[in-house]
Amino acid sequence: MSTTLPPLVLSIQSHVAWGHVGNAAAVFPLQRLGFEVLPIHTVQFSNHTGYGQFRGQVFGAEHVREVLLGLRERGVLPRLSAVLSGYLGDADTGRVILEAVGEIRQHNPSVRYLCDPVMGDVGRGVFVNPAIPDFLRDQAIPFANIITPNQFEFELLTGSKPANLQEAVKVARQLRGRGPDVVIVTSLATPDIPDSELGTLAVNGEGAWLVSTPRLALHPLPNGMGDVFSATLLGRLLAGQALPQALELATATLYALVEQTADGARDLPLVAAQEQIVAPGERFVAQPLA
């Protein structure tokens, strides 16, 4: 009796022993959605910075290259269905990732590369190595199939500050012209979105859609939300769902996890509320935009 092997996803990003950010946030949702995940860590910390002091180290580009070499020697790279990248310790590591994606595409042109351009957020500003924004803007974004910046990162990548949804769609379409097929903007709060809501905008060659969810009054917000969203969105797209439906499901999963986060907690309840990854209890409609 033969068993069909699950699709393989390579996830290259940070990792923590305690908490849920980077690979510690992305791997489990993809596994729950039926994917075999190969995690490569760009850092290994005891905990994320939301807890304050942490210990561990940043891994250099050679570490990532060495792990990729081992996967190449096992014949794994040509079998990958997707590559996911998030927080990078330095730009050299990013270039190793792009080299790997290029190699995989020679074997499998349909492989999808989702680049979550982690750089910063409203209130915190830029929190990555100073070379990272230029690397992402000039090298990674043109190479990616899917990008998932938050609004702060979207504005940093494009040098613009959209005054309304219509402008955000226009700028996202311009960003598509630089390479990626799908542009997702999370935590969108343009002046024409009610203060009680947050938007998630998706734009591809077929259209643009907005999912609006209630703004949850959690202080602080848990870390790792973008990591979970990107992984879940990628899983839904790999499962064959069209972009609007994948957007609805990924947004619904993240909303449910945030809603079930205890006040004051620094992490999403990924394990306790794992059913929300597979079958979120509440859906929010992806509204088409002109």
Side-chain angles (χ1 to χ4, degrees):
M1 181 174 170
S2 63
T3 301
T4 303
L5 295 174
L8 300 181
V9 177
L10 178 66
S11 181
I12 308 179
Q13 48 189 316
S14 61
H15 184 68
V16 293
W18 172 253
H20 296 300
V21 300
N23 275 332
V27 172
F28 183 63
L30 280 164
Q31 289 171 332
R32 287 293 280 120
L33 291 173
F35 298 92
E36 192 72 55
V37 187
L38 288 62
I40 299 179
H41 306 326
T42 57
V43 309
Q44 170 80 59
F45 291 155
S46 55
N47 51 271
H48 58 68
T49 56
Y51 288 105
Q53 183 180 3
F54 62 92
R55 295 186 181 274
Q57 68 182 97
V58 175
F59 297 133
E62 284 308 310
H63 169 86
V64 176
R65 183 177 278 115
E66 186 75 7
V67 178
L68 284 166
L69 175 59
L71 294 177
R72 182 184 299 114
E73 292 170 344
R74 303 281 76 73
V76 172
L77 295 184
R79 296 170 46 204
L80 290 166
S81 297
V83 178
L84 171 63
S85 71
Y87 177 87
L88 304 172
D90 58 52
D92 286 342
T93 298
R95 283 185 274 273
V96 171
I97 295 172
L98 299 191
E99 290 171 9
V101 173
E103 177 184 344
I104 296 162
R105 282 177 175 161
Q106 292 178 9
H107 299 281
N108 176 15
S110 64
V111 69
R112 299 196 213 190
Y113 171 35
L114 189 156
C115 174
D116 182 7
V118 177
M119 292 182 285
D121 207 346
V122 175
R124 296 180 64 190
V126 176
F127 52 67
V128 295
N129 181 303
I132 294 292
D134 287 343
F135 165 76
L136 289 169
R137 183 187 305 108
D138 300 334
Q139 297 180 54
I141 298 306
F143 213 72
N145 303 100
I146 308 160
I147 60 172
T148 56
N150 60 35
Q151 182 171 347
F152 177 87
E153 293 159 343
F154 177 65
E155 293 174 356
L156 195 60
L157 287 169
T158 60
S160 66
K161 191 173 180 63
N164 51 48
L165 270 173
Q166 186 177 10
E167 281 191 20
V169 171
K170 179 181 176 181
V171 174
R173 285 179 171 146
Q174 291 170 347
L175 190 53
R176 278 193 71 246
R178 289 160 54 184
D181 179 58
V182 177
V183 175
I184 311 284
V185 185
T186 64
S187 302
L188 189 62
T190 52
D192 50 347
I193 293 176
D195 290 341
S196 60
E197 297 178 0
L198 273 179
T200 305
L201 171 68
V203 176
N204 67 4
E206 298 174 0
W209 298 267
L210 179 76
V211 171
S212 296
T213 58
R215 189 188 288 264
L216 294 170
L218 273 183
H219 301 287
L221 284 169
N223 293 69
M225 294 189 298
D227 304 322
V228 170
F229 174 82
S230 295
T232 308
L233 177 81
L234 178 61
R236 295 297 185 177
L237 290 171
L238 290 173
Q241 269 139 352
L243 181 59
Q245 287 68 49
L247 181 70
E248 288 180 358
L249 286 163
T251 305
T253 287
L254 182 60
Y255 180 83
L257 291 171
V258 175
E259 189 178 39
Q260 294 186 34
T261 301
D263 196 29
R266 303 298 320 213
D267 291 290
L268 296 166
L270 280 185
V271 176
Q274 61 184 274
E275 72 281 355
Q276 297 296 334
I277 298 169
V278 178
E282 186 175 3
R283 288 279 288 272
F284 303 93
V285 176
Q287 300 286 352
L289 302 173

